[in-house]
C-alpha cells in the first residue's frame, strides 16, 4: 500500500468549469485519452489503479467526480441530474481538455451515462468498455421508476436481500470484514468525501430517472453504434436479475448494440469489479482499446519481414499483427492460381479482423502487400483508419488493358554478399519456410493478376479515400520505372489518392526498406498514425 500511495501522488487534480458547474478531475499520463465514469456510491477513486496502469501503457487517463460527487459541484435540485445534464458535463469537459474523441469506460451509473453518451454524441467516442449495467433501450410506454426495483450491492450473494420494510437500510447486515480489495485507507477516503456532501447528489440520479426518460424521447429506437466490450462479474447482482443473462448471451444486447464485439463474464467477481480485480479489468480495457496495426508483406517474403516493427509498435502501445498471407509460410496454400485474386486476399484480411474482434486498423503494406493494402482501402475503407504504403504506388485499374499484358517484370541482381541488415540467421528462417512449400503460392499472385483485373471492374474510377503516407527508397527499382517519379511527385498519385498527406523518398535505401532501415521506418509509421 505505501507504494500505491506514493504512485497515487503522481495523479493530477484539477477543477474544470463545464455546463454551469465545476467538476473535479483526476488525470495522469499522455497519449490517447480514456475517460472513466464511476457509479453510485463512488468517486473517481474507484478507477485509481486503472489510471496508473493505463498511463504507464501510454494513455491519458481521466476520471472526474461526476456532478453531485466528491469535489465536484452538487446542484440542489434532482432536476439537474438527468442523463442530458451529465453527458453535457462530459462534452464540456472534453472541450476544455482539447480532446476530440475518447475511449470511454463506465461502471454502474457511470455505465448508464456511458451508454447514453454513445447514443447522444457517438462522434465523441472511439470505443466503449462498459461494466456491470447492460444497455436497455428506452421503453416508450413505461417510466423507469415505475419499473425500477432497488438493487443492493453490498452482498456477495447474487440473490437480492430480503429486508423488513420497517427496518429499511438498518436491516442490511454488516459484512463480517472488509473484502481484501478494500482497505481501511480506502474506506477513510470515501468517508471523508461523502461526509462533506452526503449522498444527496448520487441519489438525485435516481430521482431524475423519470425526467431523463421524458427528455430522451428523441433517441427512441436508435442503436448504439460504437465498438463495445461489456464486462460483468458472475456474482454481480445486476447479472443475476431474471432475464439478464438471456438478454446478454442470446442476442438481445447485440440487437441494440450492433457493434458489441465481446462479452466477458468474470468468475467469482462481484459488482465492484474494477477494484476487486484491477489488473484483470485493466488488461481487458487495454486489449480492447489498444490501436491495431496490420502489416502486409510482399514477395518473396513472410510476416518475418516486419519483425522489427512488430516489437517496436508493441512497445509503443499498439497491437501489432502480421499474417503470412495465403500461399506463404505457415498459412494455407491453395493449389489453384484462381484462389489468389485481390478479392480472395482482402477477404482473408476482413475475416482475420472479424475473428480478432477488430473493427478498424492502421494498415501498412510493402510490395505485393502494398497492392493488397491499396485494394483493401478501395473495397473496405470502413475497416481502415489510415494507411502507410511502401514501394508500390497505387495505379487505378485500366479498363482497356489487362494487367499481365502491361506488366513488366523487375529483376533484382544478386548482391555480391549479404547486406548488413540481412543476417545468416534471417536467411535460414526464410530458407526453412520456403523449403516447405516453395514459391508457388507467392507466384500465384502474379498468375491471378488478369483474373483480379476482371473481378475488380466494379470499382472502376473510385478514389482511395483514407489518409495515406507513401514511402519508397531512392534505390528501389520500382521507383525507377519510367514515369513513376513524375506520377508520384507531379500530382498523378494525389489525383487517385486524394487524402495522400505525405510522400517520403528515403535516400540510399533499396526495396526492402522496412528491414534495411527498421528504426526509420518505424518512426515514419508511428509519426503518421499517432495523428489519428
Amino acid at each position: 500500500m505505501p507504494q500505491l500511495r506514493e504512485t497515487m501522488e503522481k495523479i493530477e487534480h484539477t477543477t474544470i468549469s463545464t455546463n454551469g458547474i465545476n467538476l473535479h478531475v483526476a488525470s495522469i499520463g499522455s497519449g490517447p485519452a480514456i475517460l472513466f465514469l464511476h457509479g453510485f456510491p463512488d468517486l473517481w477513486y474507484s478507477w485509481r489503479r486503472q489510471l496508473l496502469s493505463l498511463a504507464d501503457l501510454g494513455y491519458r487517463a481521466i476520471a472526474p467526480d461526476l456532478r453531485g460527487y466528491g469535489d465536484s459541484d452538487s446542484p440542489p435540485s434532482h432536476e439537474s441530474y438527468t442523463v442530458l445534464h451529465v453527458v453535457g458535463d462530459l462534452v464540456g469537459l472534453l472541450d476544455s481538455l482539447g480532446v476530440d474523441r475518447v475511449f470511454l469506460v463506465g461502471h454502474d451509473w457511470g455505465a448508464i451515462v456511458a451508454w447514453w453518451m454513445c447514443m447522444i454524441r457517438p462522434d465523441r467516442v472511439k470505443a466503449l468498455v462498459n461494466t456491470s449495467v447492460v444497455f436497455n433501450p428506452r421503453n416508450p410506454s413505461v417510466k423507469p421508476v415505475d419499473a425500477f426495483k432497488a438493487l443492493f450491492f453490498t452482498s456477495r450473494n447474487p440473490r437480492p436481500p430480503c429486508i423488513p420494510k420497517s427496518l429499511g437500510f438498518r436491516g442490511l447486515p454488516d459484512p463480517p470484514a472488509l473484502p481484501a480489495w478494500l482497505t481501511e485507507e480506502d474506506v477513510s477516503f470515501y468517508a471523508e468525501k461523502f461526509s462533506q456532501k452526503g449522498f444527496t447528489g448520487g441519489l438525485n440520479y435516481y430521482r431524475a430517472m423519470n425526467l431523463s426518460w421524458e427528455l430522451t424521447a428523441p433517441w427512441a429506437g436508435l442503436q448504439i453504434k460504437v465498438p463495445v466490450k461489456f464486462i460483468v462479474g458472475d456474482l454481480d447482482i445486476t447479472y443475476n436479475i431474471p432475464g439478464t443473462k438471456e438478454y446478454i448471451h442470446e442476442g438481445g444486447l447485440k440487437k441494440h448494440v450492433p457493434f458489441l464485439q465481446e462479452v466477458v463474464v468474470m468468475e467469482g467477481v462481484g459488482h465492484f469489479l474494477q477494484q476487486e480485480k484491477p489488473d484483470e479489468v485493466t488488461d481487458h480495457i487495454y486489449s480492447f482499446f489498444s490501436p491495431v496495426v496490420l502489416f502486409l508483406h510482399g514477395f518473396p517474403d513472410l510476416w518475418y519481414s516486419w519483425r522489427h516493427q512488430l516489437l517496436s509498435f508493441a512497445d509503443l502501445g499498439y497491437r501489432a499483427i502480421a499474417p503470412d498471407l495465403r500461399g506463404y509460410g505457415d498459412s494455407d496454400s491453395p493449389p489453384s492460381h484462381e484462389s489468389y485474386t485481390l478479392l480472395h486476399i482482402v477477404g482473408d484480411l476482413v475475416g482475420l479482423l472479424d475473428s480478432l474482434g477488430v473493427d478498424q486498423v492502421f494498415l501498412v503494406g510493402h510490395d505485393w502487400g502494398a497492392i493488397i493494402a491499396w485494394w483493401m482501402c478501395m473495397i473496405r475503407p470502413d475497416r481502415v483508419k489510415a494507411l502507410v504504403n511502401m514501394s508500390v504506388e497505387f495505379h487505378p485499374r485500366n479498363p482497356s488493358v489487362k494487367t499481365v499484358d502491361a506488366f513488366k517484370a523487375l529483376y533484382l541482381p544478386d548482391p555480391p554478399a549479404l547486406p548488413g541488415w540481412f543476417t545468416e540467421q534471417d536467411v535460414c528462417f526464410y530458407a526453412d519456410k520456403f523449403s516447405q512449400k516453395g514459391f508457388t503460392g507467392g507466384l500465384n499472385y502474379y498468375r491471378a493478376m488478369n483474373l483480379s483485373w476482371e473481378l475488380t471492374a466494379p470499382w472502376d474510377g473510385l478514389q482511395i479515400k483514407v489518409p495515406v503516407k507513401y514511402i519508397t527508397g531512392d534505390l528501389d527499382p520500382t521507383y525507377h520505372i519510367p514515369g513513376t517519379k513524375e506520377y508520384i511527385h507531379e500530382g498523378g498519385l494525389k489525383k487517385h489518392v486524394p487524402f495522400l498527406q505525405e510522400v517520403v523518398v528515403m535516400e540510399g535505401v533499396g526495396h526492402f526498406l522496412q528491414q534495411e532501415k527498421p528504426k526509420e521506418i518505424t518512426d515514419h509509421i508511428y509519426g503518421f498514425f499517432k495523428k489519428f
Side-chain angles (χ1 to χ4, degrees):
M1 281 304 298
Q3 184 177 2
L4 176 62
R5 193 182 307 116
E6 292 174 5
T7 310
M8 288 265 293
E9 294 176 357
K10 298 178 182 179
I11 297 175
E12 298 179 2
H13 297 270
T14 57
T15 299
I16 291 178
S17 297
T18 171
N19 198 23
I21 65 167
N22 292 315
L23 280 187
H24 164 250
V25 180
S27 64
I28 185 173
S30 60
I34 304 179
L35 178 62
F36 294 89
L37 308 180
H38 68 78
F40 173 89
D42 232 320
L43 301 164
W44 73 267
Y45 186 80
S46 65
W47 299 110
R48 59 197 178 279
R49 293 183 174 88
Q50 285 74 36
L51 292 178
L52 297 170
S53 297
L54 287 159
D56 286 341
L57 289 167
Y59 288 87
R60 181 183 184 184
I62 304 164
D65 283 332
L66 299 180
R67 64 165 57 202
Y69 287 94
D71 295 318
S72 292
D73 285 351
S74 184
S77 172
H78 76 275
E79 294 179 349
S80 298
Y81 290 81
T82 72
V83 291
L84 296 183
H85 284 88
V86 185
V87 171
D89 295 346
L90 300 176
V91 171
L93 168 64
L94 298 184
D95 289 344
S96 297
L97 296 175
V99 176
D100 182 47
R101 299 173 71 220
V102 293
F103 295 110
L104 190 60
V105 181
H107 174 252
D108 188 77
W109 256 104
I112 296 172
V113 174
W115 290 124
W116 277 99
M117 185 165 180
C118 293
M119 177 77 80
I120 297 169
R121 291 301 303 270
D123 59 305
R124 304 304 294 266
V125 180
K126 295 178 180 179
L128 167 66
V129 171
N130 236 0
T131 66
S132 295
V133 179
V134 298
F135 175 71
N136 284 297
R138 180 183 182 278
N139 187 331
S141 60
V142 180
K143 292 186 177 183
V145 171
D146 299 337
F148 186 70
K149 295 182 179 179
L151 303 174
F152 302 99
F153 300 129
T154 57
S155 174
R156 295 282 296 161
N157 189 329
R159 294 175 297 176
C162 183
I163 302 167
K165 189 174 182 180
S166 59
L167 293 177
F169 281 100
R170 291 173 297 170
L172 288 172
D174 292 330
L178 288 176
W181 52 266
L182 191 68
T183 68
E184 290 287 352
E185 185 176 3
D186 298 332
V187 172
S188 297
F189 185 91
Y190 280 100
E192 178 190 356
K193 294 301 179 183
F194 279 102
S195 67
Q196 297 172 17
K197 296 178 181 177
F199 295 93
T200 301
L203 291 171
N204 277 337
Y205 285 68
Y206 296 90
R207 298 184 178 108
M209 287 174 69
N210 276 0
L211 181 55
S212 288
W213 176 85
E214 295 172 14
L215 295 173
T216 54
W219 292 273
L222 274 185
Q223 296 172 309
I224 288 179
K225 291 189 174 180
V226 303
V228 173
K229 180 176 188 174
F230 181 72
I231 310 173
V232 69
D234 66 346
L235 299 180
D236 192 329
I237 196 171
T238 64
Y239 184 59
N240 291 278
I241 297 172
T244 297
K245 294 179 183 177
E246 294 79 6
Y247 175 71
I248 291 173
H249 300 294
E250 296 178 9
L253 182 59
K254 180 75 170 179
K255 176 182 177 182
H256 302 293
V257 186
F259 296 160
L260 176 69
Q261 297 184 13
E262 191 175 354
V263 172
V264 176
V265 180
M266 301 180 68
E267 294 185 4
V269 179
H271 183 68
F272 297 96
L273 67 178
Q274 79 271 40
Q275 301 183 76
E276 186 173 348
K277 296 290 183 180
D279 292 339
E280 290 89 332
V281 170
T282 296
D283 288 344
H284 280 303
I285 294 169
Y286 178 66
S287 67
F288 191 62
F289 287 162
S290 56
V292 178
V293 185
L294 178 62
F295 295 91
L296 307 180
H297 68 78
F299 174 88
D301 233 319
L302 301 164
W303 72 266
Y304 186 79
S305 65
W306 300 110
R307 58 198 179 277
H308 304 293
Q309 286 73 34
L310 291 175
L311 296 171
S312 297
F313 272 86
D315 288 340
L316 289 166
Y318 288 76
R319 183 181 181 186
I321 302 169
D324 282 333
L325 299 178
R326 67 163 57 198
Y328 287 94
D330 295 318
S331 293
D332 285 351
S333 184
S336 172
H337 76 274
E338 295 179 348
S339 297
Y340 291 80
T341 72
L342 292 169
L343 297 183
H344 285 88
I345 314 303
V346 171
D348 293 345
L349 300 176
V350 170
L352 171 64
L353 298 185
D354 288 344
S355 67
L356 296 173
V358 176
D359 181 51
Q360 283 191 313
V361 294
F362 292 109
L363 190 59
V364 182
H366 173 253
D367 188 77
W368 256 104
I371 296 172
I372 294 161
W374 291 124
W375 277 96
M376 186 164 179
C377 293
M378 177 76 81
I379 297 170
R380 292 301 303 270
D382 59 305
R383 305 304 294 265
V384 181
K385 294 179 181 178
L387 166 66
V388 172
N389 240 1
M390 297 186 284
S391 295
V392 179
E393 70 277 6
F394 175 72
H395 286 278
R397 178 184 183 275
N398 187 330
S400 59
V401 180
K402 289 188 175 183
T403 312
V404 172
D405 297 338
F407 185 71
K408 295 182 179 180
L410 297 173
Y411 295 96
L412 302 179
D414 293 332
L418 287 178
W421 52 266
F422 201 60
T423 68
E424 290 287 351
Q425 185 177 2
D426 298 333
V427 172
C428 290
F429 185 91
Y430 280 97
D432 176 61
K433 293 301 179 183
F434 280 103
S435 67
Q436 297 172 24
K437 297 179 180 176
F439 294 93
T440 301
L443 291 172
N444 277 338
Y445 285 66
Y446 295 91
R447 298 184 178 107
M449 288 172 69
N450 276 358
L451 181 55
S452 288
W453 176 84
E454 296 172 13
L455 294 173
T456 53
W459 291 273
D460 264 3
L462 274 186
Q463 296 172 310
I464 288 179
K465 291 190 174 180
V466 302
V468 173
K469 178 174 185 174
Y470 180 72
I471 309 173
T472 191
D474 68 346
L475 300 182
D476 190 330
T478 64
Y479 185 59
H480 293 275
I481 296 173
T484 296
K485 294 179 184 178
E486 295 78 7
Y487 175 72
I488 292 174
H489 300 294
E490 296 179 9
L493 182 59
K494 180 77 170 177
K495 176 182 176 181
H496 302 294
V497 186
F499 298 158
L500 176 67
Q501 297 186 12
E502 192 174 351
V503 172
V504 176
V505 180
M506 299 180 68
E507 294 184 4
V509 179
H511 184 67
F512 297 97
L513 61 179
Q514 78 270 37
Q515 300 183 75
E516 186 173 346
K517 296 291 183 180
K519 185 181 184 303
E520 291 87 334
I521 288 296
T522 295
D523 291 343
H524 278 301
I525 297 170
Y526 177 65
F528 187 62
F529 286 163
K530 71 179 182 180
K531 299 177 183 178
F532 306 95

